Protein backbone atom coordinates (compact mmCIF):
# COMPACT_ATOMS: atom_id res chain seq x y z
CA UNK A 1 0.00 0.00 0.00
CA UNK A 2 1.23 3.49 -0.85
CA UNK A 3 2.01 5.98 1.87
CA UNK A 4 -0.85 8.47 1.73
CA UNK A 5 1.60 11.38 1.72
CA UNK A 6 2.81 10.28 -1.72
CA UNK A 7 -0.58 10.84 -3.33
CA UNK A 8 -0.55 14.16 -5.20
CA UNK A 9 -3.93 15.87 -5.25
CA UNK A 10 -4.91 18.48 -7.83
CA UNK A 11 -7.64 20.91 -6.81
CA UNK A 12 -9.22 22.60 -9.83
CA UNK A 13 -11.13 25.86 -9.45
CA UNK A 14 -13.06 27.52 -12.28
CA UNK A 15 -13.66 31.26 -11.95
CA UNK A 16 -15.59 33.92 -13.80
CA UNK A 17 -16.41 37.33 -12.32
CA UNK A 18 -16.33 36.11 -8.72
CA UNK A 19 -14.07 38.68 -7.10
CA UNK A 20 -16.31 38.84 -4.01
CA UNK A 21 -15.93 35.16 -3.06
CA UNK A 22 -12.83 33.69 -4.69
CA UNK A 23 -10.49 34.86 -1.91
CA UNK A 24 -12.33 32.58 0.53
CA UNK A 25 -11.85 29.68 -1.88
CA UNK A 26 -8.13 30.38 -2.28
CA UNK A 27 -7.66 30.75 1.47
CA UNK A 28 -9.48 27.47 2.06
CA UNK A 29 -7.14 25.55 -0.25
CA UNK A 30 -4.08 27.19 1.28
CA UNK A 31 -5.32 26.28 4.78
CA UNK A 32 -5.41 22.56 3.99
CA UNK A 33 -2.99 20.71 6.23
CA UNK A 34 -2.11 18.26 3.47
CA UNK A 35 0.98 19.49 1.64
CA UNK A 36 1.22 17.33 -1.49
CA UNK A 37 -1.37 19.33 -3.40
CA UNK A 38 -1.60 21.79 -6.24
CA UNK A 39 -4.21 24.43 -7.00
CA UNK A 40 -5.13 24.90 -10.66
CA UNK A 41 -7.31 27.91 -11.50
CA UNK A 42 -9.03 28.29 -14.86
CA UNK A 43 -10.60 31.71 -15.34
CA UNK A 44 -13.14 32.47 -18.06
CA UNK A 45 -11.78 35.90 -19.03
CA UNK A 46 -13.21 37.73 -16.03
CA UNK A 47 -13.48 41.53 -16.15
CA UNK A 48 -14.57 42.40 -12.57
CA UNK A 49 -11.15 42.28 -10.89
CA UNK A 50 -11.03 38.50 -10.42
CA UNK A 51 -7.98 38.10 -12.67
CA UNK A 52 -6.07 40.83 -10.87
CA UNK A 53 -6.85 39.22 -7.52
CA UNK A 54 -5.73 35.81 -8.79
CA UNK A 55 -2.52 37.29 -10.18
CA UNK A 56 -1.76 38.79 -6.78
CA UNK A 57 -1.79 35.23 -5.40
CA UNK A 58 0.08 33.65 -8.30
CA UNK A 59 2.86 32.33 -6.06
CA UNK A 60 0.29 30.10 -4.33
CA UNK A 61 -1.10 28.64 -7.57
CA UNK A 62 0.35 25.84 -9.67
CA UNK A 63 -1.53 27.02 -12.78
CA UNK A 64 -3.45 30.18 -13.63
CA UNK A 65 -5.09 30.48 -17.03
CA UNK A 66 -7.51 33.26 -18.03
CA UNK A 67 -9.15 32.95 -21.43
CA UNK A 68 -12.62 32.60 -22.98
CA UNK A 69 -14.17 29.15 -22.72
CA UNK A 70 -17.27 27.28 -23.85
CA UNK A 71 -18.78 26.99 -20.38
CA UNK A 72 -17.97 25.56 -16.98
CA UNK A 73 -17.46 21.98 -18.17
CA UNK A 74 -15.06 23.07 -20.90
CA UNK A 75 -13.15 24.97 -18.20
CA UNK A 76 -13.12 21.94 -15.89
CA UNK A 77 -11.72 19.82 -18.72
CA UNK A 78 -8.97 22.41 -19.17
CA UNK A 79 -8.22 22.15 -15.47
CA UNK A 80 -7.92 18.37 -15.58
CA UNK A 81 -5.63 18.60 -18.62
CA UNK A 82 -3.34 21.14 -16.95
CA UNK A 83 -3.15 19.44 -13.57
CA UNK A 84 -0.47 16.91 -12.61
CA UNK A 85 -1.91 15.06 -9.62
CA UNK A 86 -2.91 11.44 -9.77
CA UNK A 87 -6.11 12.44 -7.95
CA UNK A 88 -8.32 15.32 -9.15
CA UNK A 89 -11.06 17.20 -7.31
CA UNK A 90 -12.86 20.51 -7.72
CA UNK A 91 -13.50 23.43 -5.42
CA UNK A 92 -15.73 26.03 -7.04
CA UNK A 93 -15.01 29.72 -6.63
CA UNK A 94 -17.97 30.24 -4.25
CA UNK A 95 -17.13 27.23 -2.07
CA UNK A 96 -14.87 26.45 0.88
CA UNK A 97 -13.71 23.28 2.59
CA UNK A 98 -15.54 22.06 5.66
CA UNK A 99 -12.29 21.38 7.50
CA UNK A 100 -8.55 22.01 7.04
CA UNK A 101 -8.14 18.23 7.05
CA UNK A 102 -10.31 17.40 4.03
CA UNK A 103 -7.41 16.66 1.67
CA UNK A 104 -5.71 14.60 4.37
CA UNK A 105 -8.85 12.45 4.63
CA UNK A 106 -8.92 12.11 0.86
CA UNK A 107 -5.24 11.17 0.58
CA UNK A 108 -5.58 8.64 3.39
CA UNK A 109 -8.43 6.90 1.54
CA UNK A 110 -6.48 6.87 -1.74
CA UNK A 111 -3.58 5.14 -0.01
CA UNK A 112 -5.44 1.99 -1.04
CA UNK A 113 -4.57 1.60 -4.76
CA UNK A 114 -7.91 -0.14 -5.38
CA UNK A 115 -9.84 3.02 -4.50
CA UNK A 116 -11.00 4.92 -7.60
CA UNK A 117 -13.00 7.73 -5.98
CA UNK A 118 -13.68 9.37 -2.62
CA UNK A 119 -16.62 11.57 -1.64
CA UNK A 120 -18.35 12.92 1.45
CA UNK A 121 -21.09 15.25 2.67
CA UNK A 122 -21.99 18.76 1.50
CA UNK A 123 -23.57 21.72 3.25
CA UNK A 124 -25.38 24.47 1.36
CA UNK A 125 -24.81 27.76 3.17
CA UNK A 126 -25.99 31.35 2.92
CA UNK A 127 -24.10 33.35 0.34
CA UNK A 128 -23.28 36.14 2.79
CA UNK A 129 -22.79 33.94 5.88
CA UNK A 130 -21.14 30.54 5.38
CA UNK A 131 -21.80 29.65 9.02
CA UNK A 132 -25.55 29.46 8.30
CA UNK A 133 -26.46 26.04 6.92
CA UNK A 134 -29.58 26.02 4.75
CA UNK A 135 -29.44 22.49 3.40
CA UNK A 136 -27.40 19.41 4.38
CA UNK A 137 -26.61 16.83 1.71
CA UNK A 138 -25.68 13.79 3.75
CA UNK A 139 -24.57 11.05 1.42
CA UNK A 140 -24.08 7.35 2.07
CA UNK A 141 -22.00 4.39 0.85
CA UNK A 142 -22.34 3.66 -2.84
CA UNK A 143 -24.28 0.76 -4.32
CA UNK A 144 -25.31 0.10 -7.91
CA UNK A 145 -28.90 -0.24 -6.74
CA UNK A 146 -28.87 3.31 -5.37
CA UNK A 147 -27.34 4.65 -8.58
CA UNK A 148 -30.21 3.14 -10.57
CA UNK A 149 -32.66 5.00 -8.32
CA UNK A 150 -31.25 8.45 -8.91
CA UNK A 151 -28.59 8.50 -6.19
CA UNK A 152 -25.42 10.49 -6.75
CA UNK A 153 -22.64 11.71 -4.47
CA UNK A 154 -22.30 15.47 -4.01
CA UNK A 155 -20.10 16.36 -6.97
CA UNK A 156 -18.18 19.17 -5.19
CA UNK A 157 -16.94 16.57 -2.69
CA UNK A 158 -15.85 14.03 -5.31
CA UNK A 159 -12.18 13.16 -5.85
CA UNK A 160 -11.30 10.74 -8.66
CA UNK A 161 -8.12 9.13 -9.91
CA UNK A 162 -7.04 10.94 -13.06
CA UNK A 163 -6.94 7.72 -15.09
CA UNK A 164 -10.71 7.38 -14.72
CA UNK A 165 -11.39 10.84 -16.11
CA UNK A 166 -9.12 9.89 -19.00
CA UNK A 167 -11.15 6.72 -19.57
CA UNK A 168 -14.46 8.59 -19.89
CA UNK A 169 -12.96 11.54 -21.78
CA UNK A 170 -13.60 14.15 -19.07
CA UNK A 171 -16.87 16.08 -18.98
CA UNK A 172 -19.34 15.84 -21.84
CA UNK A 173 -19.71 19.46 -22.94
CA UNK A 174 -22.93 18.82 -24.88
CA UNK A 175 -24.61 19.17 -21.48
CA UNK A 176 -25.04 22.69 -20.14
CA UNK A 177 -25.97 21.75 -16.55
CA UNK A 178 -25.83 17.97 -16.08
CA UNK A 179 -22.35 17.03 -17.33
CA UNK A 180 -21.28 16.36 -13.74
CA UNK A 181 -24.17 13.90 -13.32
CA UNK A 182 -23.37 12.22 -16.62
CA UNK A 183 -19.72 11.83 -15.58
CA UNK A 184 -20.78 10.31 -12.25
CA UNK A 185 -23.09 7.83 -13.99
CA UNK A 186 -20.32 6.99 -16.47
CA UNK A 187 -17.76 6.46 -13.71
CA UNK A 188 -19.77 4.73 -11.01
CA UNK A 189 -21.40 2.28 -13.44
CA UNK A 190 -18.00 0.97 -14.59
CA UNK A 191 -17.15 -2.58 -13.48
CA UNK A 192 -14.58 -2.53 -10.71
CA UNK A 193 -15.11 1.12 -9.83
CA UNK A 194 -14.51 1.33 -6.08
CA UNK A 195 -15.70 4.47 -4.30
CA UNK A 196 -15.18 5.30 -0.63
CA UNK A 197 -17.64 7.41 1.36
CA UNK A 198 -16.25 9.69 4.07
CA UNK A 199 -19.04 10.63 6.52
CA UNK A 200 -17.71 14.15 7.00
CA UNK A 201 -18.71 17.60 5.73
CA UNK A 202 -16.10 18.09 3.04
CA UNK A 203 -17.43 21.23 1.33
CA UNK A 204 -19.59 24.23 2.22
CA UNK A 205 -21.32 25.49 -0.92
CA UNK A 206 -22.88 28.94 -1.23
CA UNK A 207 -26.43 28.92 -2.58
CA UNK A 208 -27.00 30.11 -6.13
CA UNK A 209 -25.79 27.34 -8.47
CA UNK A 210 -26.78 27.24 -12.14
CA UNK A 211 -28.98 24.16 -11.81
CA UNK A 212 -31.49 25.71 -9.38
CA UNK A 213 -31.28 29.38 -10.34
CA UNK A 214 -34.68 29.42 -12.09
CA UNK A 215 -37.61 27.19 -13.04
CA UNK A 216 -36.34 27.19 -16.63
CA UNK A 217 -32.97 25.86 -15.47
CA UNK A 218 -34.63 23.20 -13.29
CA UNK A 219 -36.64 21.95 -16.26
CA UNK A 220 -33.58 22.02 -18.52
CA UNK A 221 -31.52 20.14 -15.95
CA UNK A 222 -34.23 17.47 -15.58
CA UNK A 223 -34.19 16.90 -19.33
CA UNK A 224 -30.42 16.59 -19.31
CA UNK A 225 -30.49 14.27 -16.28
CA UNK A 226 -32.98 11.99 -18.06
CA UNK A 227 -30.83 11.94 -21.18
CA UNK A 228 -27.77 11.08 -19.06
CA UNK A 229 -29.62 8.22 -17.36
CA UNK A 230 -30.77 6.79 -20.67
CA UNK A 231 -27.40 7.17 -22.43
CA UNK A 232 -25.53 5.35 -19.66
CA UNK A 233 -28.21 2.68 -19.30
CA UNK A 234 -28.39 3.27 -15.55
CA UNK A 235 -32.07 4.20 -15.24
CA UNK A 236 -35.04 6.10 -16.59
CA UNK A 237 -37.99 8.20 -15.47
CA UNK A 238 -38.30 6.45 -12.11
CA UNK A 239 -34.69 7.27 -11.28
CA UNK A 240 -35.19 10.88 -12.32
CA UNK A 241 -38.29 11.29 -10.15
CA UNK A 242 -36.67 9.73 -7.09
CA UNK A 243 -33.51 11.79 -7.64
CA UNK A 244 -35.54 14.98 -7.26
CA UNK A 245 -37.86 13.80 -4.47
CA UNK A 246 -34.96 12.49 -2.37
CA UNK A 247 -33.49 16.00 -2.16
CA UNK A 248 -36.33 17.13 0.09
CA UNK A 249 -34.84 15.41 3.13
CA UNK A 250 -31.72 17.57 2.76
CA UNK A 251 -33.73 20.53 4.09
CA UNK A 252 -34.75 18.69 7.27
CA UNK A 253 -31.66 16.60 8.12
Amino acid sequence: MLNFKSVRISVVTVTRNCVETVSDCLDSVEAQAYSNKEHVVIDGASWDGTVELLESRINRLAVLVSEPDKGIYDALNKGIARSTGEVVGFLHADDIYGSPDVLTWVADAFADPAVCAVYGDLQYVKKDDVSRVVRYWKSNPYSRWLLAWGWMPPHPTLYVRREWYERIGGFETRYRIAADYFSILSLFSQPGFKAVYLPQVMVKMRLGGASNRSLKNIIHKSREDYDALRRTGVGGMGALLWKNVSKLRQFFG
Side-chain angles (χ1 to χ4, degrees):
M1 183 177 294
L2 296 172
N3 185 303
F4 78 92
K5 292 182 179 179
S6 70
V7 177
R8 185 159 179 79
I9 300 176
S10 297
V11 179
V12 175
T13 297
V14 169
T15 63
R16 189 171 188 270
N17 295 332
C18 52
V19 70
E20 294 182 357
T21 60
V22 70
S23 285
D24 291 344
C25 171
L26 299 176
D27 291 343
S28 189
V29 176
E30 290 178 21
Q32 287 297 297
Y34 189 70
S35 60
N36 195 6
K37 64 181 184 292
E38 66 172 7
H39 197 182
V40 175
V41 179
I42 308 296
D43 179 76
S46 294
W47 62 85
D48 70 337
T50 296
V51 176
E52 290 77 10
L53 189 153
L54 292 170
E55 289 176 340
S56 73
R57 307 276 287 270
I58 191 67
N59 61 321
R60 305 295 181 90
L61 304 176
V63 175
L64 172 59
V65 174
S66 182
E67 61 187 19
D69 56 51
K70 299 176 183 177
I72 187 172
Y73 298 116
D74 177 46
L76 290 174
N77 283 338
K78 290 180 182 180
I80 295 172
R82 287 169 168 80
S83 63
T84 64
E86 65 180 282
V87 171
V88 180
F90 309 102
L91 189 69
H92 298 310
D94 290 343
D95 302 347
I96 60 174
Y97 284 115
S99 164
D101 296 318
V102 169
L103 295 186
T104 301
W105 304 335
V106 170
D108 200 9
F110 276 111
D112 180 351
V115 171
C116 307
V118 173
Y119 63 94
D121 296 341
L122 172 73
Q123 287 180 339
Y124 292 86
V125 297
K126 296 286 287 184
K127 188 171 185 177
D128 57 352
D129 184 358
V130 296
S131 67
R132 292 186 59 188
V133 178
V134 177
R135 178 177 160 195
Y136 192 147
W137 187 343
K138 184 173 179 59
S139 195
N140 47 279
Y142 163 71
S143 75
R144 180 59 188 259
W145 179 85
L146 285 172
L147 194 70
W149 280 97
W151 174 91
M152 66 178 290
H155 188 255
T157 74
L158 182 63
Y159 286 77
V160 177
R161 288 197 190 274
R162 166 187 301 282
E163 64 189 81
W164 283 95
Y165 277 126
E166 292 172 349
R167 291 190 195 189
I168 67 169
F171 291 97
E172 173 59 80
T173 56
R174 63 174 278 187
Y175 294 112
R176 185 168 62 87
I177 299 177
D180 51 353
Y181 186 44
F182 181 69
S183 72
I184 285 171
L185 294 175
S186 300
L187 290 168
F188 279 69
S189 62
Q190 295 285 330
F193 190 82
K194 180 179 179 180
V196 172
Y197 167 53
L198 303 177
Q200 304 281 355
V201 176
M202 292 176 63
V203 173
K204 292 177 179 287
M205 181 177 183
R206 285 181 170 92
L207 289 173
S211 63
N212 55 16
R213 193 169 293 154
S214 67
L215 178 59
K216 180 180 178 181
N217 279 14
I218 292 171
I219 293 172
H220 186 85
K221 183 179 187 304
S222 295
R223 288 173 176 167
E224 289 192 351
D225 284 347
Y226 182 71
D227 184 71
L229 284 161
R230 300 299 293 171
R231 282 183 66 195
T232 56
V234 172
M237 188 57 69
L240 177 63
L241 291 173
W242 184 247
K243 179 177 184 289
N244 291 317
V245 170
S246 65
K247 292 179 181 179
L248 295 176
R249 64 186 176 89
Q250 296 171 14
F251 293 92
F252 306 101

